[in-house]
Amino acid sequence: MKEEIKEKLQEFLENNKWQIVTIVIAIIVTLIFVLPTKHSDSDTFEISSSSTSQISKVSTSVPQVKSSVTKKEIFVDIKGAVKHPGLYKAKPNQRLAYIIQQAGGLENNADVSKLNYAHKLSD
């Protein structure tokens, strides 16, 4: 009985191997795109210096506090090709351009090709 089942299973797998491979790949691809990804507690932006190819990061972060109260301010750590890198206070949904302005603006050699000034800051 076991041998008969084993033979039938082997025959089924041999006859349908491409369909099985296709289904497995489809399931894996679906899981990659459908499962929620873990978001970090900060948004990160790269500002690089075009002359030195040095990557800098602009990130928003605040220690996590569980409460139903809406946050009135967030903290943004901006580094790299800005005139005054450091930690700045901002309101949620303020634009990245505001923080860059608070940091004294960008250095002349800043690479802004991937920078979205209109990005809303959030935690």
Side-chain angles (χ1 to χ4, degrees):
M1 177 94 168
K2 287 184 182 181
E3 289 297 320
E4 185 179 319
I5 293 172
K6 185 177 177 181
E7 286 176 19
K8 285 184 179 182
L9 181 59
Q10 224 172 6
E11 182 181 328
F12 174 80
L13 292 174
E14 285 178 20
N15 291 337
N16 299 298
K17 67 180 168 185
W18 291 112
Q19 291 88 344
I20 293 170
V21 168
T22 303
I23 290 170
V24 169
I25 290 172
I27 290 171
I28 291 170
V29 169
T30 302
L31 290 175
I32 289 171
F33 289 107
V34 172
L35 287 178
T37 57
K38 181 182 176 191
H39 296 286
S40 68
D41 293 337
S42 64
D43 293 330
T44 301
F45 308 93
E46 292 182 357
I47 302 173
S48 63
S49 170
S50 58
S51 64
T52 61
S53 298
Q54 185 178 32
I55 299 293
S56 311
K57 291 187 178 180
V58 177
S59 62
T60 60
S61 62
V62 157
Q64 284 200 349
V65 177
K66 302 235 178 193
S67 85
S68 60
V69 178
T70 305
K71 293 179 184 177
K72 294 185 180 182
E73 66 182 20
I74 59 175
F75 294 91
V76 179
D77 184 19
I78 186 167
K79 297 179 177 117
V82 292
K83 293 182 180 172
H84 305 289
L87 189 64
Y88 294 89
K89 288 182 184 179
K91 294 179 182 174
N93 291 323
Q94 276 190 308
R95 306 289 178 170
L96 178 60
Y98 171 79
I99 293 300
I100 293 172
Q101 180 184 12
Q102 294 299 305
L106 297 172
E107 296 286 346
N108 291 335
N109 60 351
D111 178 12
V112 296
S113 61
K114 295 180 183 176
L115 195 58
N116 179 1
Y117 290 100
H119 181 81
K120 289 183 179 181
L121 303 172
S122 66
D123 272 339

